[in-house]
Amino acid sequence: MLIETADFAGALRTLAGDAVLVRPGAVLPELAAERLAWTAARTPGAATVSPITDSRPDAKQAVRRIDECAREVSRLEVAPLAAPSNDCVWVSHAAVQAALAADPQVDWQRFGALCTGLRYGHYLAGHIYCWIPDGPGTVGALSPTHRANVARHVHAGLAARGIAARSKPRQLHVLHGWGGGAEQWVRDYCAHDSGAINLVLLTEVAPDGSAVRLCLYRNPGDAVALRTWPLHPSITGSVEEHGAYRAAFYEALELTAPDRVIVSSLVGHSLDVLRSGLPTWMVCHDYYPFCPAFGITFGSTCASCGDSELAACTSGNPLASAFPRIPAAHWSALRARFLRDVEVGGLHLIAPSESVRRHYSALCPDLARRVHVIPHGTPPGASPLVPPATEGRLRLLVPGRLNRAKGLDLLEAVHTDIAEFADLILCGCGGAAAEAWSGRPHVTVIPAYSRHELPGLLQSLRPDAALMLSLVPETFSYTLQELFAAAIPPFAVRRGAYEDRIQDGVNGFLCHPSPAAMLARLRALDQDRGRLSRVHETLRVTPVRGVHDMIRDYVALTGASQHSSAAYFAPDLPEPPSAGPGHMQLFWRSPDVPFHDAASQVRTFDETVERQSLRFTIPPVFPSLAGLRLDPGVRPGAVQLTRMTLTDASGAAVWTWTGGAYFDGALQSQITDLGPGPGGSGRLLYLSGADPHFGLPREAVVRLVRGGEFEIEFSCPPVHEVFEIYRGLVMSCGEREAAAERRAHASEARAQHAESELAAARAALGRMEAEAADARADSQALRQSLSWKITAPLRAVVKPLSK
């Protein structure tokens, strides 16, 4: 509370709480009252906190500038005062009540002395400057050095940041390095939240999916991190505690001084991140770590998950393939610790759709009670309107990666029947699905595309509807949001967020997730195209929820203030180290001589240029050229190669590579081939060490008798695109490994069954042989019996008669 008064003593008797008293006519800088209160909160036992005050006429017009300079040079110092200022002062209500109890008629001077006797203190905040009319001011209380530094900054016109900018709240986002919807959400939030400074703590993953580094970024997608910390050992999945992670995390908190932590994923992180003591919110982009399969689906959507069910899921669920080498006991312990941390830390879960709370109500009511629903929003103009084709065969878009979790089995079951009346367009399905579906009748395959290409693709494809067949219950679905924005009617199965967000027949279509129901509904829509047109028109005039609406709801829920004391007193955020230019180095050698720097050539390049080429000159080598080696980088990262050419001294090409498999075996070191790059061209390589390199083919090298040239075309894709491909590879490899394990288990079961049947047959044969032996023995005994001998004449008579 700010009170303007000339009677400070009289104001003491009416205070209802802490307050700032200031003389009439004073000129206060930005956030003066808040900063005095913040300073008091950091100064135990403070009865009063006073700013620097000045009454020189020429200073009145420069209050803001002088105040900013005082903040720059003060180091946020607080100096003791013998008595409180009578110009401008923050006053503690507790100290006032103690002084009034001792002397109800206390005046201002007596108040200061009483507080001192009661062990309260009076302090000067040297980082706050006010102008007061006709007053002596307290500039003299500052040290000569402080006064000189402030004056030097003012007169030199040195740049100073505004106080409000310095006090902007800070938020630390915690994210995995896999890309996808979680990263898109963080990117959108950070890019459009003007009320806070948003930083990102990201795990960098290796090709095996484990987190090997913790990286602090000023913005998601930045090429260079503010700080990086190695994680030894690396983290696969998540862990309950991790010494190296904990040390790195608390150093990141010290560097950034956030007001709150917003967790978008715990993949690659330690649960230490939930124990910062700061307000912590977790955005439920999926169901991890409660569900290690992410999508609470094992055959069907899970309604319960105890320890026995978790063990069965870990060993036999084809969708639980992201971390195939982590046992059920680990996930059970991790879940228990996660639930305990949520309860003890008072964490809140934010879900983008009501379906998350609905599912947690069945699976874990304790989590469901902490769920708040805030739907995601997207930036304006993200997707242009796409008119439907309306004529000819029905055109059905299948957007995004196509795998078992995204409804591959259901599509496989119906595609032959769908092909009778509709064309399928698989857009961004991934390399594995592209190989499996290419060449099928009435199927168009687009394996990959860059995000900026999507609007143009949709405009050219002009689908009548889009199939959303996810086997797992989506928590939101950015793909569905893009379809709404483009006015493409979605045709979705009744699961998860689809049920929450789609009104059947109004803004899309819902069907039971079975082949028969899906085919019947699609055939009906093909016969009545007007229903598709009506949904298209509804979507065309219905605004899509925007990212600013989402951020406003987050601010309202979290109670975030416009200004932050933690940010005001925090040091400036660190600047990222200079990335420097990228460079590649080509080495050559003669027989029996190792590669070395003296026989090499270096070319630098700008890592921000989307596509570029470098050319190296290869000199004649005596007695002959025995090998060429290219180092495509000097630090971990990614590069997408699209073309390489070796030409001889005459300019004739002796070898050309345009994107096939090449980087394997003895040819490479510290390089992982991630397959086709974004857009489906070339090869995306992950450089995993400080000396990544690969060799060029010997059969071409030996033809460069008189030297030649090497030219390489490449680009440096954004890190989020690389991690999205990582994630696809990790999930794909996990699915294949899980499928192989299932086949092995099935084969073992069949073998055991066959062995059992063979054993049974052998036992039956043994019994039959025993019975035959018994019969032979009986027959022999009969022949030797007296009755057999007595009846011999009778048998001799009967035998001819029976013929």
Side-chain angles (χ1 to χ4, degrees), residues 47 82 98-99 102 109-122:
Q109 185 175 0
R110 172 72 174 151
F111 167 72
L114 276 176
C115 287
T116 302
L118 292 168
R119 297 294 190 266
Y120 285 95
H122 307 290

Side-chain angles (χ1 to χ4, degrees), residues 103 111 137 149 179 197 207 222 241 307 416 513 516 528 567 663 730 761 770 788:
D103 182 358
F111 167 72
N149 285 339
I197 295 173
D222 281 356
E241 296 179 340
D307 286 344
T416 301
D528 185 1
F663 306 93
V730 171
W788 180 266

Side-chain angles (χ1 to χ4, degrees), residues 583-590 594-602 616-619 621 625-634 646 691-696 701 710:
H583 80 259
M584 294 188 183
Q585 188 169 10
L586 182 71
F587 294 84
W588 51 84
R589 67 176 181 86
S590 56
F595 291 114
H596 57 94
D597 284 338
S600 71
Q601 192 173 67
V602 175
F616 298 83
T617 301
I618 305 167
V621 176
L625 180 63
L628 289 173
R629 187 186 103 174
L630 183 73
D631 290 20
V634 294
L646 279 172
D691 186 29
H693 60 267
F694 61 86
L696 298 177
V701 169
F710 172 68

Side-chain angles (χ1 to χ4, degrees), residues 582-760:
H583 80 259
M584 294 188 183
Q585 188 169 10
L586 182 71
F587 294 84
W588 51 84
R589 67 176 181 86
S590 56
D592 302 322
V593 176
F595 291 114
H596 57 94
D597 284 338
S600 71
Q601 192 173 67
V602 175
R603 292 285 184 263
T604 60
F605 60 90
D606 184 349
E607 293 180 334
T608 63
V609 175
E610 185 170 345
R611 187 162 178 168
Q612 54 196 306
S613 65
L614 297 176
R615 182 170 294 182
F616 298 83
T617 301
I618 305 167
V621 176
F622 179 82
S624 63
L625 180 63
L628 289 173
R629 187 186 103 174
L630 183 73
D631 290 20
V634 294
R635 56 177 173 264
V639 60
Q640 182 177 352
L641 305 187
T642 51
R643 185 181 181 90
M644 296 186 289
T645 306
L646 279 172
T647 55
D648 61 20
S650 68
V654 299
W655 177 74
T656 300
W657 174 88
T658 56
Y662 176 74
F663 306 93
D664 58 4
L667 282 173
Q668 59 82 26
S669 175
Q670 301 180 6
I671 292 176
T672 301
D673 182 357
L674 300 180
S681 63
R683 306 294 287 189
L684 183 63
L685 307 183
Y686 175 76
L687 316 181
S688 57
D691 186 29
H693 60 267
F694 61 86
L696 298 177
R698 177 172 172 75
E699 62 272 16
V701 169
V702 297
R703 296 172 61 184
L704 304 179
V705 179
R706 295 185 294 115
E709 287 188 340
F710 172 68
E711 186 173 7
I712 181 169
E713 295 180 11
F714 65 97
S715 59
C716 299
V719 66
H720 69 278
E721 293 186 0
V722 177
F723 286 140
E724 177 66 18
I725 293 174
Y726 267 4
R727 183 174 185 272
L729 281 176
V730 171
M731 297 296 287
S732 177
C733 290
E735 285 184 1
R736 288 198 297 271
E737 185 168 342
E741 289 182 357
R742 290 195 304 275
R743 289 195 298 271
H745 288 316
S747 298
E748 185 177 345
R750 287 195 298 270
Q752 291 175 348
H753 180 68
E755 287 180 1
S756 176
E757 289 185 337
L758 180 59

Side-chain angles (χ1 to χ4, degrees), residues 194-247:
S194 59
I197 295 173
N198 291 274
L199 302 110
V200 181
L201 195 62
L202 180 81
T203 50
E204 182 180 320
V205 296
D208 65 357
S210 63
V212 295
R213 268 179 292 276
L214 193 62
C215 306
L216 176 65
Y217 288 93
R218 179 65 178 81
N219 296 291
D222 281 356
V224 181
L226 300 176
R227 291 287 189 276
T228 61
W229 299 269
L231 295 176
H232 299 302
S234 62
I235 297 176
T236 301
S238 301
V239 293
E240 297 179 54
E241 296 179 340
H242 192 285
Y245 184 99
R246 183 165 53 251

